[in-house]
Amino acid sequence: MKKLSDEEIKILKELHLSVDIGDRSVLKAEDFLFPEKTVPFLESAVDRLNAPDIKVTASLFLKRYSFLAVIYLYTMSAWNKRLDVSLENVELIDDTANPLWIPSFHLKSLNFQEFRGEDREQWRKDTVNHLFKDHLTLILESFSKISKLSKLILWENISVYIFWLYEHILPEIDNGAIKERAALDFKFLMEEAEGSLFGDYHQNPFKQYNSKPVYLDELDKFVRVRKTCCFNYQLKEKQVYCGNCPRYCKQYM
């Protein structure tokens, strides 16, 4: 087991990894599996987000929680390294100074397992399985049960940030080998990974969201229009649609 370098940590900090907790509030990831801890948290978050109810809050919080996938998958595709994101190793840092209320993630251990040139396809399966089956799927299903929110919305909330990572962040790395590997990883995540890697699923939950971006004349850009709405427009102060919201984009399609 090795630890991330200072340069790697610097890069991941831009993706909301936190190394120093300071005097900020800490939330244990494993606590989100228990309703008696999650419900009070979501109820308090309703006011912080200025949301109408727990349902909207659960959707928008899990969307922010998806940055854990960004940190983890960046490390996998860019550096061939698998971080430990077991529930007991992950903490959320509640940064009250952040106006968007985007939490950062603290890993108690920054150790990683590195691909050593054997069977990368199997290593990648194990790596994807660790992120989703061992962590994100458990959180997602807990939030869905508590808030009565459709899992379809929550899975698409996660997929949005995976699209962002593989279509906008990783392609900016000036390294052909990394770009090629990232493209293969992206294809695997969205099209090839079997459902069992994500938990008790017969099919890959991301597959249904992998539609091609469409060009919208009025907006003069290509947009990957969501299938579901995350309810961001219901925030009382903002009342704005996401740029890829189906409610917003349909007027231009």
Side-chain angles (χ1 to χ4, degrees):
M1 299 293 288
K2 300 178 181 179
K3 291 186 178 180
L4 294 174
S5 69
D6 290 342
E7 182 59 31
E8 289 168 340
I9 290 173
K10 181 180 178 181
I11 291 171
L12 295 182
K13 279 183 176 180
E14 297 296 320
L15 303 174
H16 297 284
L17 176 72
S18 182
V19 177
D20 301 316
I21 297 177
D23 58 356
R24 293 176 294 175
S25 176
V26 176
L27 305 167
K28 295 180 180 179
E30 56 191 334
D31 285 351
F32 290 120
L33 300 187
F34 303 100
E36 64 271 21
K37 295 184 178 181
T38 305
V39 171
F41 168 77
L42 288 176
E43 288 176 341
S44 67
V46 167
D47 293 332
R48 294 185 59 179
L49 281 173
N50 206 5
D53 51 39
I54 282 182
K55 183 178 177 180
V56 173
T57 302
S59 174
L60 297 179
F61 179 73
L62 192 73
K63 200 173 179 183
R64 289 157 169 76
Y65 201 98
S66 299
F67 270 101
L68 179 64
V70 173
I71 292 168
Y72 183 86
L73 294 173
Y74 184 102
T75 307
M76 178 188 80
S77 293
W79 305 323
N80 264 333
K81 297 176 179 179
R82 181 196 305 160
L83 293 171
D84 177 5
V85 291
S86 55
L87 285 165
E88 59 271 16
N89 193 49
V90 178
E91 298 175 327
L92 275 76
I93 309 302
D94 189 1
D95 189 355
T96 56
N98 189 315
L100 297 177
W101 194 49
I102 300 177
S104 55
F105 293 87
H106 176 252
L107 305 185
K108 297 178 185 177
S109 168
L110 286 174
N111 290 341
F112 61 84
Q113 294 181 347
E114 189 168 14
F115 171 64
R116 297 187 177 278
E118 298 87 16
D119 182 353
R120 191 175 187 275
E121 288 190 11
Q122 184 58 51
W123 180 85
R124 181 174 59 191
K125 286 183 179 181
D126 294 340
T127 302
V128 170
N129 185 84
H130 177 55
L131 172 65
F132 291 102
K133 188 174 182 179
D134 295 345
H135 191 127
L136 284 181
T137 300
L138 299 175
I139 300 294
L140 180 150
E141 292 179 347
S142 175
F143 273 48
S144 176
K145 185 176 181 179
I146 290 169
S147 67
K148 310 302 181 185
L149 190 64
S150 169
K151 293 179 187 177
L152 296 175
I153 295 172
L154 298 178
W155 276 113
E156 189 163 25
N157 284 353
I158 297 173
S159 76
V160 166
Y161 281 100
I162 294 178
F163 288 131
W164 173 71
L165 171 66
Y166 283 97
E167 294 182 330
H168 300 284
I169 303 302
L170 286 167
E172 292 297 316
I173 298 177
D174 188 18
N175 183 305
I178 291 178
K179 288 181 180 180
E180 182 178 355
R181 183 168 65 233
L184 292 173
D185 288 348
F186 185 39
K187 181 177 176 62
F188 176 78
L189 281 164
M190 291 296 154
E191 300 177 17
E192 300 169 353
E194 55 264 39
S196 60
L197 296 181
F198 300 88
D200 189 19
Y201 289 84
H202 295 297
Q203 294 184 350
N204 182 330
F206 290 136
K207 212 167 188 178
Q208 59 192 311
Y209 308 118
N210 191 27
S211 57
K212 292 184 178 180
V214 296
Y215 183 77
L216 301 181
D217 290 328
E218 293 292 328
L219 302 180
D220 192 26
K221 64 179 180 179
F222 283 92
V223 177
R224 189 188 296 276
V225 182
R226 285 185 59 135
K227 310 291 185 186
T228 66
C229 175
C230 72
F231 303 125
N232 184 73
Y233 76 96
Q234 290 193 24
L235 296 184
K236 296 175 184 177
E237 287 185 1
K238 296 177 67 176
Q239 294 186 336
V240 295
Y241 293 101
C242 300
N244 59 349
C245 179
R247 296 173 182 270
Y248 170 72
C249 292
K250 68 179 182 181
Q251 61 186 312
Y252 303 115
M253 298 176 70

